[in-house]
Structures are given as C-alpha cells and as structure tokens.
Amino acid sequence: MATDGFASLVREDTPDVILLWRGTEVLPEGFRDQPAAGVIIAFTVDDLDAEYERLKNEGAPVTMPLREEPWGERLFQITDPNGVVIQLVAWVTPEHA
C-alpha cells in the first residue's frame, strides 16, 4: 500500500516494512527533517535481472549496479529520496564452491 508520504510493504510470512517520507507529520518533530544515514533494506527477489531492468527503465536511481559477490550474492542497490538504500538480492552458487 502507498499514498502521499508513506509506503507499506506487507507479507504474511515477514514483518511489515513501513517507509515514511522525510517531513511526514507522523514522525516525531525532532526526526521529521532528518535524512536516513547508514540504513540498508534488503529484499530477496526471484528474478533479479528483471527487477534491475524494470527499476532502471522506470528511472530509479541505481546507486550500485548489478554485481556478483564471491560468496554467491548477486545484488544491486537503489536509493530512495530519504537516503535509504534498497538492496535487491538473489543467491547463486559461488564459482569456487
């Protein structure tokens, strides 16, 4: 669900994730205008390549291009307007496993 100022990500088998825009009145006054710092939210997806292309084509700010780590993690990152890094991940068998 999403509307002006927030997005809510919900699945029955996981905790809810709620993202609020900076300045939203539901945030305590001292926190409303602070950008996020050092926050990464990671989601495992079934088709990482398709998500990468979709988000790139929609103009999402890709801040780390698609890459594969030696331990078997394929990932890329985008950054939301508040500075929260969103990392999409797929797990693969490492080359040297």
Side-chain angles (χ1 to χ4, degrees):
M1 172 176 49
T3 190
D4 290 342
F6 84 100
S8 177
L9 308 174
V10 179
R11 271 182 47 164
E12 290 181 18
D13 59 340
T14 62
D16 297 353
V17 175
I18 298 173
L19 304 169
L20 301 169
W21 280 87
R22 186 173 50 233
T24 302
E25 288 186 13
V26 73
L27 291 169
E29 190 172 333
F31 295 93
R32 285 184 194 153
D33 295 318
Q34 292 182 3
V39 177
I40 294 177
I41 298 175
F43 297 98
T44 302
V45 297
D46 292 327
D47 191 342
L48 188 66
D49 294 307
E51 289 301 321
Y52 182 71
E53 290 303 318
R54 180 182 70 82
L55 289 166
K56 229 174 50 170
N57 291 337
E58 291 183 13
V62 175
T63 49
M64 179 185 289
L66 190 59
R67 62 191 270 175
E68 186 169 327
E69 302 294 355
W71 53 86
E73 180 181 25
R74 290 189 70 228
L75 65 108
F76 71 92
Q77 296 176 345
I78 60 174
T79 301
D80 86 350
N82 290 315
V84 176
V85 175
I86 309 297
Q87 179 171 294
L88 296 173
V89 178
W91 294 96
V92 296
T93 303
E95 283 184 32
H96 306 290

